[in-house]
Amino acid sequence: MASLLKKEAKVFGEVLKNAREATGQSQEDLAKGAKLNRTFVSFLERGLRQPTLCTLLSIARALHLRASNLMARVERRLNF
C-alpha cells in the first residue's frame, strides 16, 4: 500500500508540474496564487508531499482548473 501511495503522490506531482508549466507559471507564481509556500509546491511536484482537499482546491483555482479535472488527469495516468 505504501508504494502505491508513493506512486500516486509522484503522479500527482507530475500532473501538477505539467499543469503549472502549461499556464506559464513559476512555482513561486503558483504558490502565491494558491497561498502556499513555494517549497511546499516543490515538495508536491516531486511527490514528497500530498495535498489536503483544501490545498487541492486552492491549487486548482490558481491554475484556473477544476479540481476534478486535475484529479482526472492523475487517474488517467494511474489507469484508474
Side-chain angles (χ1 to χ4, degrees), residues 8-75:
E8 290 169 341
K10 184 169 175 54
V11 169
F12 175 80
E14 292 167 356
V15 167
L16 175 60
K17 183 176 181 178
N18 290 340
R20 176 182 59 77
E21 288 177 342
T23 65
Q25 294 185 60
S26 66
Q27 286 182 346
E28 190 170 333
D29 295 333
L30 176 58
K32 185 175 181 179
K35 297 181 174 66
L36 299 171
N37 183 287
R38 192 217 45 90
T39 303
F40 184 64
V41 171
S42 174
F43 285 162
L44 290 172
E45 288 187 357
R46 291 183 287 147
L48 300 176
R49 295 285 187 273
Q50 296 181 46
T52 64
L53 177 59
C54 291
T55 300
L56 176 62
L57 292 168
S58 183
I59 288 169
R61 194 173 307 116
L63 292 170
H64 310 290
L65 294 172
R66 297 175 67 93
S68 59
N69 180 282
L70 199 59
M71 292 311 300
R73 294 177 189 189
V74 173
E75 288 179 329

